[in-house]
Amino acid sequence: MSGVLLQIKNLCVDYVTDAGTARAVNDVSFNIAAGETIGLAGESGCGKSTLAFAITNLHSAPALISEGSILFEGRDVLCMPDDELRRFRWAEASMVFQSAMNALNPVITIGEQLIDVILAHNAVSYEEAYGRAESSLELVGIHPSRMQSYAHQLSGGMRQRVVIAIALILRPKLIVMDEPTTALDVVVEREIMDQLYELKAELGFAILFISHDLGLMGEITDRIGVMYAGNLVEMGTTSGLLASPQHPYTQGLLASFPTIHGPKTRLEGIPGNPLNLLEIPEGCYFQDRCNKKTDECLLRQPELIPLQKQPSHQVACVEVTGL
């Protein structure tokens, strides 16, 4: 890893509805270094996908990026004019969407979809684009004969590989992966992730990996961030966060996952329900579900603060940081 590739600063994303404005991403800041893999975890509705879409400025109404900046190699993505933004997407930062079947066009072949991406960004002949598309499929382990296949003719694992091939075809520096293996069985998931990391070692791109699966994150990421109700509540190195989670929410997430190694322990769920973003309480957003809350927790939403003994580990909890 070398240098900062992406800087997210004080990012806020709102959803404006008839019932009110819900802040899905609340004052989130973090960096991604070139070649680094960062995991972003949290339960459904916590803001992970909303943040992912913001990175390439893909939001449309009722979503609104209301505050903050997203700097890619020093350029603010949110201030790019439309033509520059089109060049930026896929060529410099690409995205693997949550559902591979929905991400692929069902009425044109996967070959045409790969070729379309190349021709939209590069002034090359159709024949050259076709050859590059074939090579891209081979890169993810799919035979070039599948260029003429439609999405419904492929298995779930093959569709996911095609989506990854599309994301990689222009050799971007950053790939945002939003729940890329959710619908796959564990064997196919392992094959795809192993292949992805072979490609990462070869091509050197950075990854923002969004998932519910902390176990998988523990194997592939350098750092992990945990989101709750739009807030980044903890971030640290993968080994440090998994070995010593500090925020009560992170502790609850890890306690709800079984482990292969070590003694068997009873799995514990996090009590209560996710926060209604239209009914934000005073104080810490996690207060109603936390078994460690004090009166201080009812007064304000804590900021993400580095631990004194481990500055690389940041936590947003007054009971942990004392601030």
Side-chain angles (χ1 to χ4, degrees):
M1 295 183 293
S2 60
V4 175
L5 180 67
L6 183 76
Q7 293 176 284
I8 298 175
K9 296 182 178 180
N10 308 113
L11 182 67
C12 297
V13 184
D14 298 330
Y15 286 92
V16 182
T17 69
D18 293 337
T21 299
R23 176 149 289 182
V25 175
N26 184 33
D27 198 26
V28 169
S29 300
F30 65 90
N31 298 339
I32 300 178
E36 184 180 26
T37 300
I38 285 188
L40 200 59
E43 60 197 356
S44 296
C46 72
K48 305 186 304 296
S49 295
T50 298
L51 190 150
F53 272 70
I55 289 173
T56 49
N57 202 358
L58 284 169
H59 283 300
S60 57
L64 171 67
I65 301 174
S66 54
E67 296 179 37
S69 61
I70 300 173
L71 303 179
F72 188 91
E73 295 185 324
R75 294 169 292 147
D76 194 338
V77 176
L78 304 182
C79 295
M80 289 180 178
D82 290 344
D83 57 343
E84 184 181 357
L85 190 59
R86 282 193 294 270
R87 291 193 298 269
F88 167 75
R89 293 171 178 157
W90 303 106
E92 297 186 80
S94 63
M95 188 165 178
V96 176
F97 295 97
Q98 191 163 353
S99 173
M101 191 63 192
N102 294 335
L104 294 171
N105 191 323
V107 298
I108 62 175
T109 65
I110 61 169
E112 287 300 316
Q113 294 179 63
L114 287 160
I115 291 167
D116 283 350
V117 176
I118 298 171
L119 295 180
H121 290 269
N122 300 141
V124 298
S125 66
Y126 183 89
E127 290 72 21
E128 182 178 345
Y130 194 98
R132 286 172 59 178
E134 287 184 320
S135 299
S136 184
L137 284 183
E138 289 185 300
L139 199 63
V140 296
I142 296 179
H143 195 273
S145 62
R146 286 294 191 173
M147 287 280 288
Q148 305 306 317
S149 297
Y150 293 88
H152 71 273
Q153 296 175 310
L154 306 178
S155 67
M158 291 180 73
R159 287 196 295 265
Q160 195 64 64
R161 290 172 193 266
V162 170
V163 173
I164 293 173
I166 293 173
L168 289 173
I169 199 164
L170 297 177
R171 302 296 189 265
K173 299 175 183 178
L174 171 68
I175 297 181
V176 180
M177 308 191 75
D178 187 7
E179 302 276 6
T181 59
T182 298
L184 305 178
D185 63 69
V186 292
V187 175
V188 175
E189 176 187 90
R190 169 56 60 189
E191 291 176 353
I192 288 177
M193 295 314 299
D194 285 347
Q195 190 165 48
L196 179 68
Y197 261 71
E198 290 177 8
L199 294 172
K200 183 178 183 293
E202 178 182 344
L203 303 176
F205 50 82
I207 299 175
L208 176 61
F209 186 83
I210 297 170
S211 178
H212 294 90
D213 192 340
L214 283 167
L216 179 60
M217 277 191 188
E219 297 184 25
I220 66 172
T221 60
D222 301 303
R223 290 188 291 150
I224 293 177
V226 179
M227 289 189 71
Y228 181 76
N231 292 278
L232 191 61
V233 297
E234 186 165 4
M235 175 165 272
T237 63
T238 298
S239 58
L241 187 141
L242 296 182
S244 182
Q246 298 295 310
H247 196 280
Y249 178 63
T250 309
Q251 294 170 355
L253 286 179
L254 290 171
S256 65
F257 278 86
T259 59
I260 297 176
H261 306 289
K264 293 182 180 179
T265 58
R266 181 181 178 83
L267 298 182
E268 301 288 347
I270 300 174
N273 297 307
L275 184 66
N276 182 347
L277 295 177
L278 293 173
E279 299 176 1
I280 298 298
E282 291 291 331
C284 179
Y285 288 10
F286 191 59
Q287 59 181 268
D288 289 340
R289 306 177 71 185
C290 184
N291 58 8
K292 298 179 180 178
K293 68 179 179 183
T294 65
D295 292 342
E296 183 69 19
C297 300
L298 308 180
L299 300 178
R300 59 186 174 86
Q301 170 65 19
E303 297 180 2
L304 196 68
I305 297 173
L307 298 177
Q308 289 185 347
K309 295 183 179 180
Q310 194 175 359
S312 62
H313 197 140
Q314 300 170 287
V315 185
C317 179
V318 295
E319 288 303 294
V320 175
T321 62
L323 299 172

